Amino acid sequence: DAGVHSKAWYAATCDRKMAEDALYRSNMDGSFLIRKSSGQDSRQPYTLVVFYNRRVYNIPIRFIESTRQYALGREKSGEERFDSVAEIVENHQHTSLVLIDSQNNTKDSTKLKHIVRVS
């Protein structure tokens, strides 16, 4: 278990559009939630959805089978790995998360500040 089910930031029944709509309504930098990934892939079970600078970022959360750990985004050398999804959230409430906009080739960063609940 990734440690998500009892958490306020976990939107269990939420799809990508619902998550994005909820974050746009919140309109606060650092607003976030975690939803199940659309693809139902065991290697990428969840998505971290973050609002920053009037944009919504969908960041895949990967499950690394060999170490039974979780990591954000595409695999990269020296990446941070966590024992649970809850640890990822706790970590990025204190240290900034890098947000990469691949369309505009820009980088921003924010901390996870405001839990968004999907109504």
Side-chain angles (χ1 to χ4, degrees):
D1 183 84
V4 297
H5 294 286
S6 60
K7 302 295 188 199
W9 40 253
Y10 180 57
T13 57
C14 179
D15 64 20
R16 181 177 183 139
K17 180 160 183 4
M18 285 165 65
E20 291 182 356
D21 289 348
L23 287 170
Y24 280 120
R25 277 196 304 274
S26 80
N27 199 29
M28 287 187 292
D29 285 350
S31 296
F32 75 99
L33 60 80
I34 288 186
R35 63 176 174 81
K36 280 190 182 132
S37 287
S38 315
Q40 295 305 311
D41 181 348
S42 62
R43 289 180 311 249
Q44 190 183 303
Y46 303 103
T47 300
L48 169 60
V49 191
V50 182
F51 183 88
Y52 185 77
N53 201 13
R54 298 188 302 280
R55 305 237 3 228
V56 171
Y57 294 83
N58 285 278
I59 304 164
I61 299 175
R62 282 181 297 110
F63 179 65
I64 302 149
E65 191 67 54
S66 58
T67 59
R68 318 276 314 150
Q69 288 176 304
Y70 294 88
L72 288 172
R74 279 194 290 250
E75 193 170 345
K76 48 212 162 297
S77 64
E79 68 186 359
E80 284 186 286
R81 293 182 173 188
F82 301 89
D83 293 329
S84 69
V85 173
E87 275 186 32
I88 292 176
V89 171
E90 285 155 23
N91 179 66
H92 289 298
Q93 286 174 321
H94 304 289
T95 55
S96 287
L97 172 69
V98 176
L99 303 169
I100 297 169
D101 176 350
S102 49
Q103 287 163 331
N104 300 320
N105 208 13
T106 57
K107 270 189 190 179
D108 275 310
S109 66
T110 186
K111 292 180 183 164
L112 301 179
K113 296 182 222 164
H114 312 284
I115 295 169
V116 172
R117 292 174 187 269
V118 179
S119 46

